[in-house]
Amino acid sequence: MSDAPLLRMEGISKAFGGAMALDRVDLSLQRGEVHALVGENGAGKSTLMKILTGAYHRDAGVVQLEGSEVDFDTPADAQGAGVCAVHQEIHLLSHRTVAENIYIGREPTRYGFIDWGRMNAQAAELLRGLGLDIDPEATVESLNTARQQMVAIARGVSLGARVLVLDEPTSSLSPREVSILYELVARLKANGTAIVYISHRFDELYAICDRVTVLRDGKLVATRAMAGLERLDLVCLMLGKSREALRDGVTGFGDHRDAGEAVADRPAVLRTEHVASGAKLHDVSFEVRPGEIVGLAGLLGSGRTETARAIFGADVRNGGTVFVHGESVNPRTPDDAIRMGVGFVSEDRKAEGIIPELSIRENLTLAALPTLTKFGVVSRVKQREIVERYMTRLGIKASSADQRIRELSGGNQQKVLLARWLCTDPKLLILDEPTRGIDIGAKGEIQRLVNELAKLGMGVLMISSEIEELTEGSTRVVVLRDGCSVAELTGAEISPQAIIRAMASDSPAASAVNATSPVS
Amino acid sequence: MTTGMLPALRGHFTSSRAVSLLQRGGAVVALVIACIAGSMRYYAFATPENLLNVLRQNSMLGLVALGMTFVILTGGIDLSVGALLAVSGVIAAMLSKHGSLLALAGGIGAATALGVVNGLLITRARIQPFIVTLAMMIAARGAALAVTSEQSIPASPQASALTWLGRGQLGPVPVPVVLFFLAYAVAWVTLRYTRFGRYVYAVGDSEEAARLMGLPADRLVLATYALSGALAGLAGVVLAGRLGAGQPVAGTGWELDAIAAVVVGGTLLTGGQGGAGATIIGVLLLGVIFNLFNLEGTISPWWQWVLRGTFLMGVVIIQGRLQRRARSH
């Protein structure tokens, strides 16, 4: 790695309005290097990458590719020069085929007409070469998220990418799919492609990255080799805190496992018996007691979200019984469920959570509006009172309650959504991936908050694909596999190994899981 | 038809093709039923004269609906087509004393130019297509009425090609019908086998993704509005040729008929799915239904509207069902 870098960005600055988003940041990439780019939300990672890939223009600084200066006006320019990005929200054409998505703009033609046969054959060869078993003639919408991601990467490869930016590539992948991604990254690395890897997951950074660049508040903090860099030190760099300041565990839960005994005799706030719904959910039984955080674990597709939706009345149940406060209930719509005291924070914050153009005030009080309304008129006084109370209590950072929610960071958006349910005074809160895509500072805050809510006597059902979150946060863990609840772990039984064993037993994914998961 | 056709085509079509076939299925099934019912009930229905007549009557709306298909595939809408059709017919009639060539070029050229204006306002000024084309519809209709003082402008007999376009025959087949099928054939090939066609689908699927893939999204959207204007213009000169006059009120409400035909055919208003094959079925279906009403003879025009509206809703509901079934298979 002593030779000249493939890509060098030097002194990159960018301001939006008056705010400095990037302040003289440097980044260099070697051939065949996987370079982690980390920082809390708002640190400037996305801005830096958008400048690299031609989506934004820099105010100052130099970008050199193989020693010559480049200036990309559009993503197309950058792609032409071999700089491609695979975004977190996968930007593909969902109704079109895999082959078309890979080759659109460069379709093989014969006599000026698109040669579909050749295009499909080329795509098949490319995918095979990358070790991917994907039908080039399938539509993108028929693939799961992981495969869509692979298609986006394959497109980059087919464009001859020398620099590939992967933005949160694993945020929606199962452990098995993550291992496929790792293989793909290794293959590209061997070909000399430089990869910028943006992720909030430390296991991944340590598993595949060579070096790491840390950004904070738009400034370069450090670039280090991953080998020999301790996790805690990396966290300290990201947060700008000293080692001593970070005494708790990896998550903000503290250790919650013992709390189970204290609540064992309380009557369950939620009990499900043999719940089935749709094609994915067959037989799920468990209960949640007040003051408990019950973790719901399982591989992608095991029915975690479906369970939540069935309880919340968002999907139609076709079997089983749900008891709230010991009473058999049949919520047919979320409205029913809310009235029974159930709140649900969806995993898809953007699509199913926030209303982006509305203010914090409006977003926060959305679920509580019926109680704030008299003769169809919303009481502004009560509304403001509630909003102020929760903004303070949850530490929501915003310029004012009237700021549009889409302008907030992911962590603050999530807090608003939590507050939205808290002000309906729920007995049971269902959290689907409560900390996904949230930077690690805000993550800890949200975890602490969930912990507090449980202590105040709320029942919490928490779905998470992060093992640490489940092991440290849950009083009990219910494990789902193929739409059935297959195991329940309590107290000392809760460990990453036990969860993974239960999630993956009897499935071919087991070995892959053990190879890539944080079982250390 | 799906059960009859699919096995033969299996392996040739991907699942997406199967879905789109099913989507179109609603309209095809309805068309077949309408035709069978028509031939059983009315002796006059299944005659070559009647069928050619149906085709000729719908050929001009068909051209307008084809332009609309391109626009809707990109996720847009063009409300100005009826008015552009009138502008084109009026200009062609006014220029017809200078010969057919000038009449055709003037009429189609003017409509295309106004289509370009639509496209520029949408892509440059970033105004919503609905608003832009609504404004164009009002302004262009007003211009046509003002220039003609609300009078029909007779076409000069010297413009023989203009007359031929509207009234001529190729063998037994009226020229507008030939134009209609030709235009759909070209459009089908364009949509399936050219980059322009694929970009239309790409932009309608996700404009953001298309941009990030480096596709010229703005130029493409502009082109579809120009094309929609051009096809409305073509329909305008054909109609002027057929009527022997340019009428400022021609094509009133056609934008809605065209949208109805596109939607009934199975092209989604959200863009990205559907195509020329779908729209041709939609045009024919609505045309046949209208023809059946006329053969019945006793239904007042107002009740015909009620029935057509109800029917439109019914077809769309069936399509939705079929599509969902295809998805969850």
Side-chain angles (χ1 to χ4, degrees):
Chain A
M1 281 221 239
S2 54
D3 51 346
L6 173 64
L7 177 99
R8 180 148 60 203
M9 301 179 83
E10 254 176 23
I12 306 292
S13 295
K14 173 82 186 172
F16 294 106
M20 275 310 249
L22 284 177
D23 186 6
R24 287 161 294 165
V25 170
D26 307 331
L27 176 73
S28 78
L29 301 175
Q30 302 290 340
R31 283 176 190 77
E33 176 188 25
V34 183
H35 195 114
L37 185 61
V38 301
E40 295 204 58
N41 289 350
K45 295 172 306 209
S46 310
T47 311
L48 186 64
M49 288 303 105
K50 281 185 173 158
I51 287 171
L52 175 61
T53 55
Y56 288 166
H57 289 271
R58 59 184 184 267
D59 296 340
V62 184
V63 181
Q64 286 183 330
L65 190 61
E66 294 193 315
S68 49
E69 195 171 331
V70 290
D71 194 359
F72 306 129
D73 283 328
T74 62
D77 283 355
Q79 281 173 22
V83 178
C84 297
V86 176
H87 301 273
Q88 188 179 3
E89 314 84 36
I90 303 161
H91 291 293
L92 289 176
L93 307 167
S94 53
H95 302 314
R96 309 266 69 89
T97 68
V98 170
E100 197 169 4
N101 268 282
I102 294 174
Y103 288 110
I104 196 160
R106 304 165 295 128
E107 301 92 338
T109 56
R110 194 164 42 176
Y111 312 119
F113 293 106
I114 292 168
D115 187 342
W116 286 86
R118 193 141 60 92
M119 187 162 90
N120 290 334
Q122 280 181 12
E125 199 184 311
L126 174 77
L127 293 165
R128 240 194 334 270
L130 293 170
L132 301 172
D133 175 31
I134 297 176
D135 175 9
E137 293 183 57
T139 53
V140 163
E141 64 188 340
S142 71
L143 306 178
N144 63 24
T145 319
R147 287 168 165 256
Q148 294 185 7
Q149 199 127 37
M150 305 299 165
V151 172
I153 294 173
R155 178 181 161 82
V157 172
S158 80
L159 283 160
R162 291 177 290 175
V163 177
L164 193 63
V165 179
L166 301 180
D167 188 357
E168 296 270 354
T170 59
S171 57
S172 45
L173 304 196
S174 71
R176 178 172 158 67
E177 291 162 340
V178 169
S179 71
I180 298 175
L181 179 78
Y182 285 1
E183 277 171 37
L184 189 51
V185 167
R187 225 178 263 253
L188 296 176
K189 189 176 149 90
N191 291 340
T193 311
I195 295 169
V196 180
Y197 195 93
I198 302 178
S199 177
H200 289 303
R201 298 190 179 173
F202 282 19
D203 301 311
E204 293 172 8
L205 305 183
Y206 280 96
I208 61 168
C209 295
D210 302 305
R211 287 195 298 165
V212 56
T213 289
V214 183
L215 300 182
R216 190 172 66 238
D217 300 331
K219 294 197 179 66
L220 175 68
V221 176
T223 296
R224 299 272 181 84
M226 287 302 292
L229 176 63
E230 270 191 54
R231 255 176 214 234
L232 203 52
D233 291 327
L234 182 53
V235 177
C236 292
L237 286 174
M238 287 171 64
L239 296 179
K241 287 179 181 160
S242 65
R243 276 186 83 130
E244 293 72 43
L246 292 170
R247 49 185 168 69
D248 291 334
V250 191
T251 68
F253 283 114
D255 205 326
H256 196 72
R257 269 173 269 188
D258 300 333
E261 288 158 31
V263 299
D265 53 342
R266 297 189 197 171
V269 60
L270 170 78
R271 193 164 90 241
T272 71
E273 283 178 4
H274 312 294
V275 166
S277 150
K280 278 189 173 170
L281 210 59
H282 308 301
D283 182 1
V284 174
S285 308
F286 63 90
E287 53 179 41
V288 180
R289 286 185 282 267
E292 244 191 343
I293 301 178
V294 173
L296 202 53
L299 296 169
L300 209 71
S302 60
R304 293 171 303 183
T305 298
E306 288 76 8
T307 302
R309 291 178 60 91
I311 296 169
F312 194 58
D315 288 338
V316 181
R317 254 179 312 122
N318 41 25
T321 326
V322 173
F323 298 89
V324 174
H325 290 302
E327 234 176 288
S328 168
V329 293
N330 186 17
R332 287 171 189 281
T333 62
D335 190 32
D336 289 345
I338 291 167
R339 249 179 295 209
M340 295 167 193
V342 183
F344 174 45
V345 179
S346 155
E347 65 176 329
D348 192 343
R349 200 159 51 235
K350 268 192 201 144
E352 297 176 3
I354 63 169
I355 317 267
E357 298 299 330
L358 291 187
S359 67
I360 296 172
R361 180 170 51 77
E362 289 160 307
N363 267 287
L364 199 153
T365 51
L366 211 52
L369 276 187
T371 61
L372 296 177
T373 310
K374 212 177 233 173
F375 307 119
V377 181
V378 180
S379 158
R380 289 290 284 251
V381 179
K382 274 198 226 163
Q383 199 184 23
R384 195 167 321 128
E385 191 187 292
I386 289 181
V387 171
E388 275 169 17
R389 176 147 39 97
Y390 283 103
M391 281 183 73
T392 325
R393 183 170 157 204
L394 273 58
I396 296 170
K397 290 186 201 89
S399 60
S400 85
D402 288 309
Q403 194 178 0
R404 273 187 290 195
I405 194 166
R406 67 175 170 81
E407 295 167 2
L408 301 187
S409 70
N412 280 309
Q413 287 179 358
Q414 192 73 328
K415 286 184 197 168
V416 174
L417 293 183
L418 269 176
R420 176 190 290 175
W421 293 111
L422 295 186
C423 60
T424 67
D425 194 21
K427 308 290 172 278
L428 174 71
L429 198 55
I430 306 173
L431 307 174
D432 195 354
E433 300 286 359
T435 63
R436 171 179 290 175
I438 289 173
D439 68 70
I440 91 166
K443 209 166 170 169
E445 282 182 58
I446 286 179
Q447 289 162 339
R448 268 189 291 280
L449 196 70
V450 172
N451 217 6
E452 264 173 51
L453 294 173
K455 275 186 190 145
L456 292 175
M458 204 177 285
V460 178
L461 179 64
M462 177 174 71
I463 299 171
S464 178
S465 43
E466 290 194 34
I467 303 279
E468 298 99 331
E469 201 161 78
L470 292 171
T471 50
E472 294 185 24
S474 316
T475 35
R476 275 183 305 128
V477 175
V478 175
V479 182
L480 300 185
R481 192 171 67 231
D482 302 327
C484 303
S485 46
V486 293
E488 193 173 310
L489 308 167
T490 314
E493 293 166 20
I494 301 176
S495 71
Q497 290 86 341
I499 293 176
I500 289 166
R501 234 182 343 262
M503 283 197 315
S505 58
D506 300 328
S507 93
S511 55
V513 167
N514 287 323
T516 60
S517 284
V519 235
S520 51
Chain B
M1 81 103 241
T2 46
T3 46
M5 247 174 107
L6 276 180
L9 299 170
R10 190 172 296 148
H12 217 66
F13 285 93
T14 62
S15 61
S16 73
R17 301 283 295 158
V19 169
S20 74
L21 266 176
L22 269 174
Q23 246 170 276
R24 225 178 295 167
V28 174
V29 169
L31 181 60
V32 170
I33 292 174
C35 286
I36 292 173
S39 16
M40 281 164 57
R41 187 168 165 88
Y42 311 105
Y43 174 72
F45 178 77
T47 57
E49 299 78 44
N50 183 55
L51 294 179
L52 279 174
N53 205 24
V54 169
L55 285 173
R56 191 184 52 203
Q57 280 168 351
N58 288 284
S59 56
M60 286 156 278
L61 176 65
L63 292 174
V64 173
L66 184 59
M68 187 72 78
T69 305
F70 278 83
V71 169
I72 289 181
L73 279 177
T74 67
I77 195 91
D78 188 350
L79 298 178
S80 68
V81 284
L84 297 191
L85 179 149
V87 167
S88 164
V90 165
I91 290 181
M94 286 173 146
L95 292 175
S96 60
K97 56 179 174 289
H98 304 295
S100 291
L101 187 65
L102 206 58
L104 294 178
I108 299 174
T112 310
L114 293 176
V116 169
V117 172
N118 279 336
L120 284 174
L121 286 167
I122 290 161
T123 57
R124 298 282 159 81
R126 298 266 159 224
I127 304 170
Q128 285 170 4
F130 188 95
I131 306 294
V132 168
T133 58
L134 178 66
M136 178 61 79
M137 166 177 126
I138 295 167
R141 178 71 68 190
L145 287 163
V147 169
T148 58
S149 313
E150 299 173 46
Q151 300 301 308
S152 161
I153 306 289
S156 159
Q158 284 162 356
S160 55
L162 180 65
T163 315
W164 179 79
L165 267 186
R167 297 183 191 169
Q169 304 257 114
L170 282 171
V173 186
V175 171
V177 176
V178 175
L179 263 181
F180 170 72
F181 282 113
L182 200 64
Y184 273 84
V186 171
W188 188 83
V189 172
T190 303
L191 283 173
R192 176 124 186 91
Y193 289 103
T194 68
R195 286 207 175 137
F196 171 74
R198 300 322 289 175
Y199 290 1
V200 167
Y201 283 103
V203 168
D205 199 321
S206 162
E207 195 168 335
E208 175 70 4
R211 258 179 237 287
L212 288 170
M213 287 175 168
L215 308 185
D218 282 348
R219 261 189 295 153
L220 187 107
V221 168
L222 177 61
T224 59
Y225 284 94
L227 183 63
S228 179
L231 282 166
L234 179 60
V237 296
V238 172
L239 186 62
R242 176 156 174 69
L243 300 174
Q247 294 189 341
V249 292
T252 304
W254 280 32
E255 58 281 341
L256 299 181
D257 289 338
I259 293 169
V262 171
V263 171
V264 163
T267 296
L268 301 187
L269 277 177
T270 44
Q273 275 179 302
T279 301
I280 201 168
I281 300 292
V283 170
L284 294 179
L285 178 56
L286 294 184
V288 165
I289 297 289
F290 190 63
N291 182 241
L292 293 180
F293 288 155
N294 282 340
L295 290 173
E296 184 72 34
T298 53
I299 310 171
S300 84
W302 313 128
W303 284 114
Q304 288 190 17
W305 281 15
V306 173
L307 287 173
R308 281 164 73 185
T310 313
F311 174 78
L312 177 72
M313 210 58 246
V315 171
V316 172
I317 289 171
I318 293 170
Q319 272 171 7
R321 294 261 159 110
L322 283 171
Q323 197 187 350
R324 238 166 296 153
R325 197 179 307 164
R327 286 256 163 101
S328 63
H329 65 92

